[in-house]
Amino acid sequence: YCQYCGEAVVKKDATEYQCSNGHLTWNNPHAAVSVILYQDGKILYSIRGVEPHKGKIDLPGGFLNFNEQPFEGAVREIIEETSLEVKELEPIGAFTHMYYDNVSVTDFVFLCRKWDGIPMEKCLY
């Protein structure tokens, strides 16, 4: 639906949509972060408790908030999902993938080798 007037939109091409009132909108990638927590040859991961992909292995991460920088989002997500305090993050890279069938996500991936605290119960090595 159109973000300006609420009318239904029609897909014009892979990313562009238009409503009957002529407003254009685009399906641009959503920004997200993922963090690989690695120490002593082990990776800390969790098991997803909610859909999508409930019950599958997951890395700490998620969508960035409005105007949030990837590094800040990675630190926030680690705290929210593991309760750990990050000591340092190394950027690995970024890649774009499909989330569900119709949402494009650009994921900023970081490596974390140093942290303080004890991870939440849902976190496993």
Side-chain angles (χ1 to χ4, degrees):
Y1 291 92
C2 179
Q3 62 186 344
Y4 302 104
C5 66
E7 292 291 320
V9 294
V10 175
K11 187 174 185 176
K12 293 180 73 175
D13 61 31
T15 59
E16 188 175 8
Y17 298 80
Q18 187 171 20
C19 74
S20 59
N21 292 320
H23 300 124
L24 294 174
T25 189
W26 293 266
N27 183 12
N28 292 318
H30 299 275
V33 293
S34 291
V35 182
I36 301 168
L37 293 152
Y38 179 82
Q39 274 186 353
D40 302 324
K42 297 177 182 177
I43 294 175
L44 183 73
Y45 64 92
S46 63
I47 304 298
R48 288 188 62 83
V50 297
E51 294 296 347
H53 310 298
K54 182 177 180 177
K56 294 188 178 182
I57 291 174
D58 198 14
L59 295 172
F63 291 105
L64 293 176
N65 292 330
F66 180 76
N67 207 26
E68 184 176 43
Q69 296 299 312
F71 181 88
E72 295 166 347
V75 170
R76 176 184 53 76
E77 288 287 349
I78 291 171
I79 292 168
E80 288 177 4
E81 296 187 4
T82 69
S83 76
L84 299 173
E85 183 181 324
V86 175
K87 290 297 179 187
E88 57 185 63
L89 287 174
E90 302 170 37
I92 292 178
F95 66 98
T96 300
H97 58 95
M98 292 302 288
Y99 183 73
Y100 290 116
D101 292 329
N102 61 346
V103 177
S104 179
V105 176
T106 297
D107 221 335
F108 295 89
V109 182
F110 294 89
L111 176 64
C112 179
R113 298 176 192 261
K114 296 180 183 180
W115 61 80
D116 283 335
I118 299 171
M120 294 177 181
E121 288 182 18
K122 70 176 185 174
C123 299
L124 309 166
Y125 284 101

